[in-house]
Amino acid sequence: MSITIKLITKANEDAINLKNEPFDLFGRMIPKYDGEKWTYEVEKFKTIETMCFPDEAYYFDEMSQDSVFLGAFDGDKCVALGIFKEAFFKYMYLYDLKINQAYRGQQIGEKLIKEAQKIAQKKNYIGIYTQAQDNNLGACLFYLKTGFKIGGLDTNVYKGTPQENKKDILFYLDFN
């Protein structure tokens, strides 16, 4: 199998609506800030649960004004998607990253981020940032393994929602 990373354009715009697939929730990342640097601990869950985000309805014409869409293709089939949005400061925002279950563990996510880095540098960004829920330990560890560093913690983002016990960890990938 040969995976190709390429821009998603108007010609293959349906690829931006790649369906979400389940993933395991097996632990929580607990970030700590000492006033100068971030560290973290990992809490493993006794019971592994499965979660799946609801499918989005992305509109190419609307979103392409301020977004770059990258797809990983197995032939003509899109098997992974990265959406990178323009940001008002010097980091491009990784808005969505998803990989079909059958293709996980093959470094496709890393390849999408490396390709996005080239695009972001051409646009004079100094890095990419994103966020992940603290209980999505797989995503949090993926970002750290890919070179991102913890840069913040949002403890209020889910206040008043059914997910009130969750937090968002902000991750930053610097290009230098």
Side-chain angles (χ1 to χ4, degrees):
M1 141 181 60
S2 178
I3 301 296
T4 307
I5 307 296
K6 59 185 176 183
L7 278 173
I8 296 172
T9 64
K10 185 75 174 158
N12 59 351
E13 69 179 286
D14 290 345
I16 70 169
N17 282 302
L18 184 67
K19 299 290 184 201
N20 288 312
E21 293 189 354
F23 57 93
D24 288 338
L25 298 176
F26 57 91
R28 174 182 317 278
M29 182 171 282
I30 304 166
K32 298 181 188 249
Y33 187 64
D34 70 4
E36 291 186 26
K37 68 177 183 151
W38 287 94
T39 59
Y40 67 92
E41 293 178 8
V42 168
E43 171 193 335
K44 295 282 182 123
F45 296 152
K46 289 182 174 116
T47 305
I48 296 174
E49 295 182 17
T50 301
M51 182 177 176
C52 187
F53 290 120
D55 287 321
E56 303 84 5
Y58 292 142
Y59 299 99
F60 183 85
D61 290 337
E62 178 184 310
M63 292 179 70
S64 63
Q65 304 302 312
D66 68 352
S67 300
V68 173
F69 307 100
L70 288 173
F73 290 84
D74 186 356
D76 290 336
K77 178 183 175 187
C78 184
V79 299
L81 172 70
I83 300 177
F84 300 84
K85 293 181 81 63
E86 301 284 344
F88 61 88
F89 55 101
K90 294 307 251 167
Y91 288 86
M92 184 172 251
Y93 178 54
L94 171 51
Y95 181 75
D96 196 358
L97 181 67
K98 58 179 99 176
I99 301 161
N100 285 356
Q101 282 181 314
Y103 292 84
R104 293 178 187 160
Q106 300 177 34
Q107 284 130 10
I108 294 171
E110 290 95 331
K111 290 175 184 173
L112 286 168
I113 290 170
K114 282 187 193 308
E115 191 61 30
Q117 180 176 343
K118 294 175 194 171
I119 293 167
Q121 285 176 307
K122 285 180 187 172
K123 293 175 173 271
N124 293 317
Y125 287 102
I126 63 168
I128 296 172
Y129 82 105
T130 195
Q131 60 200 35
Q133 291 177 332
D134 64 337
N135 72 324
N136 187 351
L137 184 57
C140 293
L141 293 173
F142 164 79
Y143 289 123
L144 292 176
K145 183 181 117 199
T146 308
F148 286 77
K149 297 198 178 345
I150 297 171
L153 178 67
D154 187 340
T155 60
N156 289 341
V157 67
Y158 298 106
K159 210 174 233 181
T161 75
Q163 300 187 62
E164 193 154 356
N165 63 334
K166 298 178 185 173
K167 299 159 190 67
D168 271 352
I169 301 172
L170 302 173
F171 294 92
Y172 288 82
L173 175 64
D174 289 311
F175 298 156
N176 333 5

